[in-house]
Amino acid sequence: QVQLVESGGGLVQAGGSLRLSCAASGRTFNTMGWFRQAPGKEREFVGWIKWSSSYAYYADSVKGRFTISRDIAKNTVYLQMNSLKPEDTAVYYCAASIFATTDSHDYNYWGQGTQVTVSS
C-alpha cells in the first residue's frame, strides 16, 4: 500500500523559509511532484523531481526560490522554500507519478497536504 505523508508546514513571515518533507512508503516512483492549492483556486503545479537522477523541474512562479531534493535512504522528498511571499500561502501536497509531468491528473498517489501560511 502506497502512502505519502507530508510534514513541515506552518506560519512564516514574508522573506522567511520553510522545508516540507514527504515520506513515501510502499514503493518508489519515477517522479515525485509538489503541488499547492490556495483557497478558492485550482491546484497548482510547483515542481517535480526524478527519483533516480534527482533532476528537478519548477514552475516559473517558484523558480530560484524553491528547491526539491530527495533522500533515497529515507525514501523522502523535500521542498525547500526560501524568500517566501504571501502569495505562496496554500496547502502543499506531494504526489507520485510514473511520468515527469506538470499535470496533476497524471499523479496517482497523493499525500494529505500540509498548510503553509506566509504573513506580510
Side-chain angles (χ1 to χ4, degrees):
Q1 182 176 353
V2 176
Q3 192 172 18
L4 303 178
V5 179
E6 298 108 335
S7 61
L11 173 65
V12 64
Q13 287 189 330
S17 298
L18 277 176
R19 189 178 79 157
L20 307 183
S21 300
C22 174
S25 61
R27 58 170 285 191
T28 58
F29 293 84
N30 180 58
T31 304
M32 297 295 292
W34 285 96
F35 292 79
R36 64 187 182 186
Q37 188 165 20
K41 295 189 176 181
E42 293 187 353
R43 191 165 294 186
E44 176 189 16
F45 168 75
V46 173
W48 54 248
I49 186 168
K50 287 191 174 181
W51 190 259
S52 58
S53 68
S54 77
Y55 176 82
Y57 177 82
Y58 302 93
D60 288 343
S61 58
V62 306
K63 199 175 296 183
R65 300 188 299 122
F66 290 11
T67 302
I68 302 175
S69 61
R70 56 91 173 104
D71 185 326
I72 292 177
K74 295 183 178 180
N75 233 25
T76 299
V77 175
Y78 302 99
L79 177 64
Q80 177 68 44
M81 305 184 293
N82 299 328
S83 302
L84 282 161
K85 306 174 182 180
E87 51 264 43
D88 294 318
T89 295
V91 177
Y92 282 72
Y93 299 89
C94 68
S97 174
I98 61 174
F99 304 110
T101 174
T102 63
D103 189 343
S104 63
H105 296 97
D106 291 325
Y107 287 79
N108 302 101
Y109 299 96
W110 292 81
Q112 82 285 359
T114 185
Q115 176 70 46
V116 171
T117 303
V118 184
S119 64
S120 57

